[in-house]
Amino acid sequence: MLPYITDAHAHCGIQDISTTQAFDDYLSLVRGSKIKQVAMFSPVMEIYDRYDYNFQDDSDWQQRRKKSNQHLLEIGNKDLRVIPYFFIWNDFAVDQLTDKHKGIKWHRHSDEPVYHYDDPLCEKAVNEIRRRNMPVVFEEELSNTIKFIKEIASGIRIIIPHLGILNGGYNSLLNKGIWDIPNVYTDTALASTYEIKDYINRYGCQRIMFGSDFPFGDPLYELSKIERLNIPPEKKDMILGLNLKNLLIPSSGKS
């Protein structure tokens, strides 16, 4: 049995900006449970204006992102360790990465401002992510998901959150053969029990991780979906922490 459980997907903002997505809010939900470690990303509201499709970046937003990403390096305590991920946007500011950042968050929905994949800075950022061997939690439209995995970021370890709910859907990714790709992982945040079971039946437990998507999901409820699975304890341990641990071990690089 694992000594503690790791949540591979949660959002955490700065207290005075994201009052319902702060570290203390998450801790209050999991206190007393076996969840003692959590991978955290900044909330979208601290990265770009998701409600403005024609959003134009500026120095104020760049400083806001920098402050938000830095915040994740400074939180956590003896009761809950934070694994900080760097939320990347169109300035592709990989020069801000440090050895403390353990992964990348890459995120947009179809009605939100777009990533500039044709910008040379994007290629430069991807190369730096590859050099550091950092996993990328990637949430995008289906077409961009396929292009990113197969072309732009070929070989980089990609975590598709929610079993693909917001990347075009679980079955769409299944039909496109995306789940078959060895460097593609997933998390269970907000996914249905049916999809979790179907994935495990097809692909085993080596590339799937427990996640809550706090504050949109309740960590203990999302955890209960894994605990109720009719699989051996050692398989549950993989989902509840070992897979993420193994995924992060190769992460390295120099700031």
Side-chain angles (χ1 to χ4, degrees), residues 1-6 34 223 226-229 231-242 245:
M1 294 288 292
L2 285 177
Y4 59 83
I5 290 169
T6 302
K34 287 188 68 177
L223 174 59
I226 309 304
E227 291 177 327
R228 293 196 302 265
L229 292 174
I231 57 176
E234 61 270 21
K235 300 295 186 182
K236 289 183 182 178
D237 285 352
M238 295 169 69
I239 299 171
L240 295 175
L242 292 181
K245 178 182 178 180

CSV table of all heavy atoms in Angstrom, one decimal, residues 1-6 34 223 226-229 231-242 245:
chain,number,residue,atom,x,y,z
A,1,MET,N,0.8,-1.2,0.0
A,1,MET,CA,0.0,0.0,0.0
A,1,MET,C,0.9,1.3,0.0
A,1,MET,O,1.9,1.3,0.7
A,1,MET,CB,-0.9,0.0,1.2
A,1,MET,CG,-2.0,-1.1,1.2
A,1,MET,SD,-3.3,-0.8,0.0
A,1,MET,CE,-4.1,0.6,0.7
A,2,LEU,N,0.5,2.2,-0.8
A,2,LEU,CA,1.2,3.5,-0.8
A,2,LEU,C,1.1,4.2,0.6
A,2,LEU,O,0.0,4.2,1.2
A,2,LEU,CB,0.6,4.4,-1.9
A,2,LEU,CG,0.9,4.2,-3.3
A,2,LEU,CD1,0.1,5.1,-4.2
A,2,LEU,CD2,2.4,4.2,-3.6
A,3,PRO,N,2.2,4.8,1.0
A,3,PRO,CA,2.1,5.6,2.2
A,3,PRO,C,1.3,6.9,2.1
A,3,PRO,O,0.7,7.4,3.1
A,3,PRO,CB,3.6,5.9,2.6
A,3,PRO,CG,4.2,5.9,1.2
A,3,PRO,CD,3.5,4.8,0.5
A,4,TYR,N,1.2,7.4,0.9
A,4,TYR,CA,0.3,8.6,0.6
A,4,TYR,C,-0.1,8.5,-0.8
A,4,TYR,O,0.5,7.8,-1.7
A,4,TYR,CB,1.1,9.8,1.0
A,4,TYR,CG,2.3,10.1,0.2
A,4,TYR,CD1,2.3,10.6,-1.1
A,4,TYR,CD2,3.6,9.7,0.8
A,4,TYR,CE1,3.5,10.8,-1.8
A,4,TYR,CE2,4.8,9.9,0.1
A,4,TYR,CZ,4.7,10.4,-1.2
A,4,TYR,OH,5.9,10.6,-1.9
A,5,ILE,N,-1.1,9.4,-1.1
A,5,ILE,CA,-1.7,9.5,-2.5
A,5,ILE,C,-1.3,10.8,-3.1
A,5,ILE,O,-1.2,11.8,-2.4
A,5,ILE,CB,-3.2,9.3,-2.4
A,5,ILE,CG1,-3.5,7.8,-2.0
A,5,ILE,CG2,-3.9,9.6,-3.7
A,5,ILE,CD1,-5.0,7.6,-1.7
A,6,THR,N,-1.1,10.8,-4.4
A,6,THR,CA,-0.8,12.0,-5.1
A,6,THR,C,-1.9,12.4,-6.1
A,6,THR,O,-2.3,11.6,-6.9
A,6,THR,CB,0.5,11.9,-5.9
A,6,THR,OG1,1.6,11.6,-5.0
A,6,THR,CG2,0.9,13.2,-6.7
A,34,LYS,N,-5.5,10.5,2.8
A,34,LYS,CA,-4.1,10.0,2.4
A,34,LYS,C,-3.5,10.9,1.2
A,34,LYS,O,-2.4,10.6,0.8
A,34,LYS,CB,-4.2,8.5,1.9
A,34,LYS,CG,-4.4,7.6,3.1
A,34,LYS,CD,-4.2,6.1,2.6
A,34,LYS,CE,-2.8,5.8,2.2
A,34,LYS,NZ,-2.6,4.4,1.8
A,223,LEU,N,-11.2,10.7,-5.9
A,223,LEU,CA,-10.4,9.6,-5.3
A,223,LEU,C,-11.3,8.3,-5.1
A,223,LEU,O,-10.8,7.2,-5.4
A,223,LEU,CB,-9.8,10.0,-4.0
A,223,LEU,CG,-9.0,8.9,-3.2
A,223,LEU,CD1,-7.9,8.3,-4.1
A,223,LEU,CD2,-8.5,9.5,-1.9
A,226,ILE,N,-11.5,5.8,-8.0
A,226,ILE,CA,-10.4,4.9,-8.1
A,226,ILE,C,-10.4,3.8,-7.1
A,226,ILE,O,-10.2,2.7,-7.4
A,226,ILE,CB,-9.1,5.7,-8.1
A,226,ILE,CG1,-9.1,6.9,-9.0
A,226,ILE,CG2,-7.9,4.8,-8.4
A,226,ILE,CD1,-9.4,6.5,-10.5
A,227,GLU,N,-10.7,4.2,-5.9
A,227,GLU,CA,-10.8,3.2,-4.8
A,227,GLU,C,-11.8,2.2,-5.0
A,227,GLU,O,-11.6,1.0,-4.5
A,227,GLU,CB,-11.0,4.0,-3.4
A,227,GLU,CG,-9.8,4.9,-3.0
A,227,GLU,CD,-10.1,5.6,-1.7
A,227,GLU,OE1,-11.3,6.0,-1.5
A,227,GLU,OE2,-9.1,5.8,-1.0
A,228,ARG,N,-12.9,2.5,-5.7
A,228,ARG,CA,-13.9,1.5,-5.9
A,228,ARG,C,-13.7,0.6,-7.1
A,228,ARG,O,-14.4,-0.4,-7.3
A,228,ARG,CB,-15.3,2.2,-6.2
A,228,ARG,CG,-15.8,3.0,-5.0
A,228,ARG,CD,-17.3,3.3,-5.2
A,228,ARG,NE,-17.5,4.1,-6.4
A,228,ARG,CZ,-17.6,5.4,-6.4
A,228,ARG,NH1,-17.4,6.1,-5.2
A,228,ARG,NH2,-17.8,6.1,-7.5
A,229,LEU,N,-12.6,0.8,-7.9
A,229,LEU,CA,-12.3,0.0,-9.0
A,229,LEU,C,-11.9,-1.4,-8.5
A,229,LEU,O,-11.2,-1.7,-7.6
A,229,LEU,CB,-11.1,0.5,-9.8
A,229,LEU,CG,-11.4,1.9,-10.5
A,229,LEU,CD1,-10.0,2.3,-11.1
A,229,LEU,CD2,-12.4,1.7,-11.6
A,231,ILE,N,-9.8,-3.7,-9.1
A,231,ILE,CA,-8.4,-4.1,-9.7
A,231,ILE,C,-7.5,-4.4,-8.5
A,231,ILE,O,-7.8,-3.9,-7.3
A,231,ILE,CB,-7.8,-3.0,-10.5
A,231,ILE,CG1,-7.8,-1.6,-9.8
A,231,ILE,CG2,-8.7,-2.8,-11.8
A,231,ILE,CD1,-7.1,-0.5,-10.5
A,232,PRO,N,-6.4,-5.1,-8.7
A,232,PRO,CA,-5.5,-5.4,-7.6
A,232,PRO,C,-5.0,-4.2,-6.9
A,232,PRO,O,-4.8,-3.1,-7.6
A,232,PRO,CB,-4.4,-6.2,-8.2
A,232,PRO,CG,-5.0,-6.8,-9.5
A,232,PRO,CD,-6.0,-5.7,-9.9
A,233,PRO,N,-4.7,-4.2,-5.6
A,233,PRO,CA,-4.1,-3.1,-4.9
A,233,PRO,C,-2.9,-2.5,-5.5
A,233,PRO,O,-2.7,-1.2,-5.6
A,233,PRO,CB,-3.8,-3.6,-3.5
A,233,PRO,CG,-4.7,-4.8,-3.3
A,233,PRO,CD,-4.9,-5.4,-4.7
A,234,GLU,N,-2.0,-3.3,-6.1
A,234,GLU,CA,-0.8,-2.8,-6.7
A,234,GLU,C,-1.1,-2.0,-8.0
A,234,GLU,O,-0.4,-1.1,-8.3
A,234,GLU,CB,0.2,-3.9,-7.1
A,234,GLU,CG,-0.3,-5.0,-8.0
A,234,GLU,CD,-1.0,-6.2,-7.3
A,234,GLU,OE1,-1.5,-6.0,-6.2
A,234,GLU,OE2,-1.1,-7.2,-8.0
A,235,LYS,N,-2.2,-2.3,-8.6
A,235,LYS,CA,-2.6,-1.5,-9.8
A,235,LYS,C,-3.2,-0.2,-9.3
A,235,LYS,O,-2.9,0.9,-10.0
A,235,LYS,CB,-3.7,-2.3,-10.6
A,235,LYS,CG,-3.2,-3.6,-11.1
A,235,LYS,CD,-2.1,-3.5,-12.2
A,235,LYS,CE,-1.8,-4.8,-12.8
A,235,LYS,NZ,-0.7,-4.7,-13.8
A,236,LYS,N,-3.9,-0.2,-8.2
A,236,LYS,CA,-4.4,1.1,-7.7
A,236,LYS,C,-3.3,2.0,-7.3
A,236,LYS,O,-3.3,3.2,-7.5
A,236,LYS,CB,-5.3,0.9,-6.5
A,236,LYS,CG,-6.7,0.3,-6.9
A,236,LYS,CD,-7.6,0.1,-5.7
A,236,LYS,CE,-8.9,-0.5,-6.1
A,236,LYS,NZ,-9.8,-0.7,-4.9
A,237,ASP,N,-2.2,1.4,-6.7
A,237,ASP,CA,-1.1,2.2,-6.3
A,237,ASP,C,-0.4,2.9,-7.5
A,237,ASP,O,0.1,4.0,-7.3
A,237,ASP,CB,0.0,1.3,-5.6
A,237,ASP,CG,-0.5,0.9,-4.2
A,237,ASP,OD1,-1.5,1.4,-3.7
A,237,ASP,OD2,0.2,0.0,-3.6
A,238,MET,N,-0.4,2.2,-8.6
A,238,MET,CA,0.2,2.8,-9.8
A,238,MET,C,-0.6,4.1,-10.2
A,238,MET,O,-0.1,5.1,-10.4
A,238,MET,CB,0.2,1.8,-10.9
A,238,MET,CG,1.1,0.6,-10.7
A,238,MET,SD,0.8,-0.7,-12.0
A,238,MET,CE,1.5,0.1,-13.4
A,239,ILE,N,-1.9,4.0,-10.1
A,239,ILE,CA,-2.8,5.1,-10.5
A,239,ILE,C,-2.7,6.2,-9.5
A,239,ILE,O,-2.8,7.4,-9.8
A,239,ILE,CB,-4.3,4.6,-10.7
A,239,ILE,CG1,-4.3,3.6,-11.8
A,239,ILE,CG2,-5.2,5.8,-11.0
A,239,ILE,CD1,-5.7,2.9,-11.9
A,240,LEU,N,-2.6,5.8,-8.2
A,240,LEU,CA,-2.7,6.8,-7.1
A,240,LEU,C,-1.4,7.5,-6.8
A,240,LEU,O,-1.3,8.2,-5.8
A,240,LEU,CB,-3.3,6.1,-5.9
A,240,LEU,CG,-4.7,5.6,-6.0
A,240,LEU,CD1,-5.2,4.9,-4.8
A,240,LEU,CD2,-5.7,6.8,-6.3
A,241,GLY,N,-0.3,7.2,-7.5
A,241,GLY,CA,0.9,7.9,-7.2
A,241,GLY,C,2.1,7.4,-7.9
A,241,GLY,O,3.0,8.2,-8.3
A,242,LEU,N,2.3,6.1,-8.1
A,242,LEU,CA,3.5,5.6,-8.6
A,242,LEU,C,3.8,6.0,-10.1
A,242,LEU,O,4.9,6.3,-10.5
A,242,LEU,CB,3.5,4.0,-8.5
A,242,LEU,CG,3.6,3.5,-7.1
A,242,LEU,CD1,3.6,2.0,-7.2
A,242,LEU,CD2,4.8,4.0,-6.4
A,245,LYS,N,5.0,9.5,-10.1
A,245,LYS,CA,6.4,9.5,-9.5
A,245,LYS,C,7.4,9.1,-10.6
A,245,LYS,O,8.4,9.8,-10.8
A,245,LYS,CB,6.5,8.6,-8.3
A,245,LYS,CG,7.9,8.5,-7.7
A,245,LYS,CD,7.9,7.5,-6.6
A,245,LYS,CE,9.3,7.4,-6.0
A,245,LYS,NZ,9.3,6.5,-4.9
